[in-house]
Amino acid sequence: MPLKETDASNTYREIDRWDGGVGWLAHPDETMERASHALSIDGDVWVIDPVDASSIDELFAEFGTVAGVVVLLDRHMRDAEAVAQRHDVPLYLPTWVRRSVSGVPVRRFGTTLADTGLRVLKLFDNPAWQEAALYDETGGTLVVPESVGTADYFRTGHERLGVHPIIRLFPPDELRGLTPKRILVGHGPGVFDDAPVTLADALDGSRRRYPSLLVETVRGFVSM
């Protein structure tokens, strides 16, 4: 199973469908399980951290017209520029995400995403990690690109949602106290059942529970 694939002619697998949008895995068999999403707001489609795939534009069209492509993490440029160019729309970046972009217009956003009404949460802003989350308090959708995920390497054996292994000791406080109906993540399928409890459990247990992959890596390093 490859860690990450790059062929955009692949057939995607749909995940996370609800009234307000849809998610997909462009390469369902890759280890990283890179998930992308399209949010529908008043007939506009906002494409989040996309990995491109064959026929993905037909999926967008089910929800409306693409208004913008959004990148929420400095490391998640993925195929954002290509998708923005194809739809002739701007690429939206949080003000603190330091990435250079060429070939498409860039729009910066701070506390809300354009005129969507989506609240923006600043999760990390340091040289190594710049991340934002989007929260629709009315509709109940929370989008977190990296701090939490459902891919195997994020979770312990008993977790449905896990904090990223690198930040287990310092999970972002901005996610605490939120009560989403659904949690969409950048790695793995989303959480649609008992989302508030699942999020709280992930954050509260992150300091005492560690994914097996991280434990094995540390043991290997110590034994060198």
Side-chain angles (χ1 to χ4, degrees):
M1 182 181 294
L3 181 66
K4 184 170 75 171
E5 295 186 2
T6 58
D7 183 5
S9 65
N10 56 296
T11 300
Y12 65 87
R13 187 178 81 207
E14 183 181 306
I15 57 172
D16 297 346
R17 181 179 284 263
W18 75 106
D19 289 343
V22 68
W24 72 95
L25 294 175
H27 304 283
D29 295 327
E30 70 177 14
T31 301
M32 292 186 70
E33 293 187 58
R34 291 174 297 161
S36 310
H37 295 88
L39 307 184
S40 177
I41 302 173
D42 297 328
D44 289 334
V45 174
W46 295 84
V47 183
I48 313 295
D49 291 357
V51 180
D52 212 353
S54 176
S55 303
I56 199 65
D57 292 340
E58 297 174 13
L59 183 64
F60 300 159
E62 292 183 36
F63 292 88
T65 302
V66 174
V69 176
V70 185
V71 173
L72 295 176
L73 179 77
D74 59 315
R75 301 185 297 278
H76 273 191
M77 288 303 293
R78 296 177 171 178
D79 299 313
E81 291 185 58
V83 174
Q85 285 180 337
R86 194 164 67 238
H87 289 271
D88 193 23
V89 297
L91 193 152
Y92 287 78
L93 289 171
T95 55
W96 61 93
V97 171
R98 296 176 284 280
R99 285 300 301 258
S100 59
V101 178
S102 60
V104 294
V106 174
R107 302 286 185 271
R108 293 283 181 171
F109 60 93
T111 57
T112 59
L113 172 61
D115 58 356
T116 64
L118 296 177
R119 177 180 162 198
V120 179
L121 307 176
K122 182 187 285 190
L123 303 187
F124 286 98
D125 179 11
N126 62 62
W129 193 308
Q130 302 129 45
E131 181 181 8
L134 296 177
Y135 187 35
D136 178 1
E137 296 181 79
T138 301
T141 298
L142 173 65
V143 186
V144 185
E146 192 83 356
S147 285
V148 296
T150 61
D152 286 346
Y153 55 94
F154 274 78
R155 300 180 292 112
T156 69
H158 301 290
E159 291 179 329
R160 296 177 58 212
L161 179 75
V163 172
H164 192 289
I166 293 178
I167 59 169
R168 282 257 165 174
L169 294 177
F170 305 100
D173 288 335
E174 289 78 5
L175 295 177
R176 296 188 184 279
L178 303 182
T179 56
K181 295 179 181 178
R182 64 194 66 84
I183 305 168
L184 312 178
V185 297
H187 295 274
V191 175
F192 281 68
D193 299 320
D194 300 321
V197 174
T198 302
L199 178 60
D201 177 71
L203 297 172
D204 292 343
S206 68
R207 290 184 173 89
R208 64 177 185 274
R209 301 189 301 245
Y210 296 92
S212 58
L213 179 61
L214 179 62
V215 173
E216 292 169 5
T217 301
V218 172
R219 285 176 178 170
F221 178 78
V222 171
S223 63
M224 289 177 63

